[in-house]
Amino acid sequence: MGEKYCGKEKYPHLFSPIRIGNIRLKNRIIAAPTSPSMITTEGHFTPEMTAYLEEKAKGGVSVVTYGEAIVHSATGKSHNKQLQLDSFGVKQGMAQTARAIHNAGAYANIQLSHGGKYGGLVSVGGDQDGCEAAYGPSPEMTPEGEVYEMSREMILEIVESYKTSAKLCKDCGFDMVQVHAAHGWLFSQFLSPVTNRRKDEFGGSLENRARFLMMALDAVREGVGPRFPIEIRLSGDDLTDMGLGLDDCIKVARMAEDKVDLFNISCGNHEDPQMFCRTHPSAFYPRGVNVYLAAEIKKHVKKPVACVGSLNDPGQMEEIIATGQADIVEIGRALLADPYLPVKALHGEADDITPCLRCYECFGETSRSETVKCTVNPLMGQQLPGKYGQKEPAYKKKVLVAGGGPAGMEAAITAANRGHDVTLAEKSDKLGGNLHPAGAAYFKEDIVKLCKVMERRTKAAGVKILLNREVTPEFVKEFAPDALVVAIGSDEMVPPIRGIGLSNVIMAVDAELHPEKLGEKVAIMGGGLVGSEAAVSFHHEGKKCFLIEMKKEVAEEVNSFYRGGLMPQVEKSADIYTSTKVKEITPKGVLCEKDGKELMIEADSVVCALGFRAPYDKVDALCEQADEYYIIGDCSNVGQIYQAVNQGYYAALRI
């Protein structure tokens, strides 16, 4: 078999081929449908989107799927910017994208979608450019606006649009289409006995409620012809009282079986924040939490079944297929963290896969700036400029990196891989910096994995590592680097609160690393991300937690997608005191003021989680000693892992 493909021996089922319709997949890994907003306002692909999809193909998946292409723009647009298959001029970008995916070694798949009532309602990601009116299975009044019942004529028009859209995709070179019938969009709404209260042939019995979907599947088949692969994304369970349970989902799958070639089994509802974190599982769920639904559907159908749900470990994927739970795995966020996951697994380099942290920064950035980014992958969203490569450095430089946190490690790895002579000095006895406290909580094991991956890469790149070595101005002067990278991190803020020096006060980093220092009752000062996650972690350790925050909300700065999963955990884990000011810390606990009244929160220990501050004086003193210097990570401006990794990478490219 050869060294190159040694992963086939370790993951024989994952790397075995499978035929779907008229195509033969080289392995069992499909890039799940994703649709960041890198789309023009006319509803066309941008070159950035094409490059984003192309890289997934380069990474070794068998199929790359673009998500949520809208078949009927007048009624079905659920987000501000989406690929609109009925938009004039859409073909060119689609054809170029299909070719790019093919030329990089994968098949091209595209998801046909319609938002149903969310086409005209303010929805997640659809707050500016919706359709003129909202049409659903039945009339309803919602807080976001009125929903009108779809007429029979409109239903037939939308069925026709599935046919023309599917044919268009085939004409533009796509090898497969996927019909989206899950996550609360159009067909989910018709399947639901709660939202579908119609009295005609599209309402009543499950067969009637599924009629629209079956007609659309027949229309898609008419549009693409025989043997062309049609995939359907179905829920295995809507997991809400608004939708279908597992038994009914099985019945729908059996109805659809002779019309499709592949089932993709998901769950939940995109528009329910708590459900969103189950559909796209958060760090509070085990990986593969939704696989059981695919496994159950698979017992009742003969066509191949794919599963989804925050999978990123090739070992787990191999087990899923080997034990017959699914025939194919579909991966979304894990391929943003590391698009080369399949090729690394194939080549026996699984220990170099960058783990997805399930932090939802990819979703958050799509909402925020209509681009995509990833906390742990500095090239994500930068594939287009990345295609043109980096200029080789003019000459090899002697580089000193001060600080071995994520910023320092990323800079050292990148600079060394570009041929520079790199020394990294870290004042503590190990690399990782704040990744250690950040990864201490039970739901943060992926941060621990990230730390290990980065440490391995630092050593593999040939970086000289000096531990227990604090970089001082004198050290820099003596070392005399050609380039200095300052990545010394930040200091925890110790506010001038009376009693802050008492023995019952523990700084957040120390508390996260050593929860055994805490008593039974823990008061946490500061309800930002650090304090909120600490409460969840300490509660899990059996502590009674009190979270004290001056603002009106806790975890206010966190992106809404992660916050949707975090807040139910925080609310379960702590008594929350918002709009509350700390006046004094005493041996008994924390004296606070809320609504003009004094309040004593009794606790055995008090955790100070009031933020971090960049040590600008130290940074300036180090920079004075070097002509060429780069300031990155928390010592530049306190941020999150994304800023550290991103700045480390791009600073090193400039050396």
Side-chain angles (χ1 to χ4, degrees):
M1 186 167 291
E3 275 300 300
K4 193 178 177 195
Y5 300 119
C6 58
K8 283 192 173 182
E9 291 171 7
K10 195 170 183 186
Y11 314 113
H13 297 84
L14 191 60
F15 287 107
S16 63
I18 184 171
R19 181 164 287 284
I20 306 291
N22 62 10
I23 63 176
R24 178 181 161 97
L25 278 53
K26 63 187 176 188
N27 59 42
R28 304 299 181 97
I29 309 170
I30 291 180
T34 58
S35 49
S37 295
M38 297 179 290
I39 298 289
T40 69
T41 49
E42 296 80 27
H44 303 167
F45 277 132
T46 61
E48 287 81 3
M49 180 65 90
T50 302
Y52 159 84
L53 295 168
E54 178 187 24
E55 190 184 32
K56 293 187 183 196
K58 287 178 182 172
V61 295
S62 57
V63 178
V64 176
T65 314
Y66 175 75
E68 292 183 353
I70 300 302
V71 298
H72 194 263
S73 298
T75 59
K77 225 166 131 278
S78 53
H79 294 61
N80 297 332
K81 285 163 68 183
Q82 288 182 295
L83 191 71
Q84 293 166 239
L85 297 174
D86 54 1
S87 166
F88 176 68
V90 76
K91 290 182 182 180
Q92 178 187 344
M94 289 178 65
Q96 287 170 334
T97 300
R99 286 174 200 160
I101 292 169
H102 292 155
N103 296 346
Y107 290 113
N109 187 13
I110 190 163
Q111 184 184 67
L112 310 178
S113 189
H114 187 295
K117 66 182 180 181
Y118 295 114
L121 299 178
V122 174
S123 62
V124 174
D127 59 342
Q128 290 171 32
D129 190 28
C131 306
E132 281 186 16
Y135 293 98
S138 301
E140 60 177 308
M141 278 306 300
T142 75
E144 292 79 28
E146 186 171 0
V147 178
Y148 300 96
E149 181 172 288
M150 268 189 188
S151 65
R152 194 170 185 280
E153 292 71 32
M154 185 179 282
I155 288 172
L156 296 177
E157 186 180 312
I158 291 170
V159 166
E160 187 66 20
S161 76
Y162 272 91
K163 175 181 162 182
T164 53
S165 294
K167 183 178 185 303
L168 174 89
C169 294
K170 185 183 177 184
D171 289 347
C172 288
F174 282 82
D175 307 283
M176 285 175 74
V177 292
Q178 181 192 100
V179 174
H180 198 342
H183 297 180
W185 302 131
L186 175 67
F187 295 126
S188 280
Q189 293 162 28
F190 267 80
L191 287 168
S192 164
V194 178
T195 50
N196 183 348
R197 302 180 306 281
R198 299 173 74 99
K199 301 284 188 258
D200 61 4
E201 73 265 44
F202 297 105
S205 67
L206 181 61
E207 286 71 20
N208 277 0
R209 301 198 309 273
R211 190 183 303 276
F212 189 0
L213 170 58
M214 299 305 143
M215 289 169 67
L217 290 172
D218 287 339
V220 168
R221 177 58 72 202
E222 212 180 315
V224 296
R227 290 185 297 283
F228 187 91
I230 299 173
E231 180 182 13
I232 184 170
R233 171 165 268 188
L234 277 178
S235 289
D237 190 333
D238 286 325
L239 299 173
T240 72
D241 50 13
M242 293 291 286
L244 301 185
L246 178 56
D247 289 346
D248 280 339
C249 289
I250 290 167
K251 288 175 188 165
V252 175
R254 294 182 70 164
M255 286 181 217
E257 179 161 26
D258 64 346
K259 305 176 191 298
V260 302
D261 303 281
L262 175 64
F263 290 95
N264 173 322
I265 304 302
S266 185
C267 70
N269 186 318
H270 191 278
E271 292 303 306
D272 177 338
Q274 289 195 25
M275 264 297 102
F276 184 96
C277 295
R278 176 63 192 268
T279 304
H280 315 273
S282 75
F284 299 103
Y285 289 106
R287 293 203 175 267
V289 63
N290 298 332
V291 173
Y292 76 98
L293 296 167
E296 192 55 42
I297 298 265
K298 187 166 161 50
K299 292 174 189 169
H300 299 273
V301 296
K302 293 186 176 65
K303 296 281 174 68
V305 174
C307 63
V308 291
S310 77
L311 299 168
N312 77 343
D313 171 16
Q316 185 183 14
M317 297 174 202
E318 168 67 20
E319 188 192 348
I320 287 166
I321 296 164
T323 55
Q325 296 173 71
D327 301 288
I328 289 171
V329 293
E330 301 214 8
I331 315 174
R333 288 169 290 169
L335 290 178
L336 273 71
D338 198 334
Y340 297 90
L341 182 157
V343 89
K344 286 180 180 178
L346 181 61
H347 293 172
E349 297 164 2
D351 64 352
D352 191 51
I353 292 168
T354 311
C356 164
L357 305 185
R358 299 196 279 185
C359 60
Y360 299 99
E361 278 302 311
C362 45
F363 285 106
E365 194 61 31
T366 291
S367 298
R368 203 162 32 236
S369 71
E370 296 175 353
T371 61
V372 68
K373 78 177 191 195
C374 172
T375 287
V376 294
N377 179 1
L379 277 163
M380 184 45 54
Q382 300 295 315
Q383 284 92 343
L384 191 59
K387 280 178 74 171
Y388 302 110
Q390 291 299 330
K391 253 171 59 176
E392 288 289 307
Y395 65 94
K396 190 172 160 179
K397 290 184 177 177
K398 183 181 170 188
V399 179
L400 174 63
V401 179
M409 283 195 286
E410 186 65 36
I413 294 160
T414 308
N417 285 338
R418 296 185 72 229
H420 295 300
D421 177 13
V422 183
T423 300
L424 185 157
E426 162 57 40
K427 69 178 179 183
S428 75
D429 61 356
K430 59 188 173 188
L431 297 178
N434 271 349
L435 292 179
H436 292 291
Y442 73 96
F443 56 93
K444 290 299 187 83
E445 63 178 351
D446 292 304
I447 292 181
V448 177
K449 287 180 186 167
L450 173 68
C451 189
K452 287 176 180 166
V453 167
M454 294 188 79
E455 196 175 340
R456 274 196 296 269
R457 284 182 191 160
T458 305
K459 289 170 182 169
V463 175
K464 298 181 198 72
I465 300 166
L466 306 176
L467 297 176
N468 301 303
R469 185 70 59 89
E470 183 164 6
V471 176
T472 60
E474 295 73 32
F475 182 89
V476 178
K477 193 172 185 178
E478 190 184 327
F479 192 92
D482 298 315
L484 171 68
V485 178
V486 184
I488 58 173
S490 55
D491 300 324
E492 286 184 276
M493 283 170 61
V494 185
I497 298 169
R498 196 184 308 162
I500 195 80
L502 289 172
S503 60
N504 59 337
V505 178
I506 303 169
M507 299 307 289
V509 166
D510 192 22
E512 285 171 336
L513 291 171
H514 302 287
E516 70 278 2
K517 291 184 179 181
L518 305 171
E520 290 307 300
K521 291 183 176 177
V522 184
I524 301 166
M525 302 188 298
L529 180 61
V530 172
S532 299
E533 289 187 335
V536 178
S537 177
F538 301 154
H539 174 72
H540 187 257
E541 298 278 334
K543 314 292 184 191
K544 168 75 177 161
C545 297
F546 307 91
L547 194 56
I548 307 163
E549 172 56 52
M550 280 179 71
K551 294 178 183 170
K552 290 180 182 173
E553 300 275 351
V554 298
E556 192 182 55
E557 80 280 21
V558 182
N559 78 63
S560 61
F561 299 95
Y562 184 65
R563 197 170 187 274
L566 174 66
M567 284 313 296
Q569 302 295 328
V570 178
E571 283 156 9
K572 276 192 294 196
S573 302
D575 293 354
I576 300 171
Y577 294 87
T578 49
S579 306
T580 302
K581 186 179 177 184
V582 173
K583 291 184 73 175
E584 183 183 353
I585 302 162
T586 74
K588 282 188 172 179
V590 186
L591 183 64
C592 302
E593 186 180 299
K594 182 175 170 69
D595 303 328
K597 293 176 187 159
E598 280 199 347
L599 166 75
M600 185 69 193
I601 297 171
E602 292 189 10
D604 302 313
S605 53
V606 179
V607 172
C608 183
L610 293 167
F612 295 80
R613 181 167 281 156
Y616 293 134
D617 49 347
K618 286 184 187 172
V619 172
D620 295 347
L622 294 178
C623 293
E624 292 292 331
Q625 302 300 323
D627 290 335
E628 182 182 342
Y629 60 82
Y630 304 87
I631 307 166
I632 60 172
D634 277 0
C635 70
S636 164
N637 200 1
V638 174
Q640 292 176 326
I641 297 170
Y642 167 76
Q643 284 82 5
V645 172
N646 193 270
Q647 290 169 13
Y649 179 78
Y650 287 102
L653 291 186
R654 299 198 297 276
I655 297 174

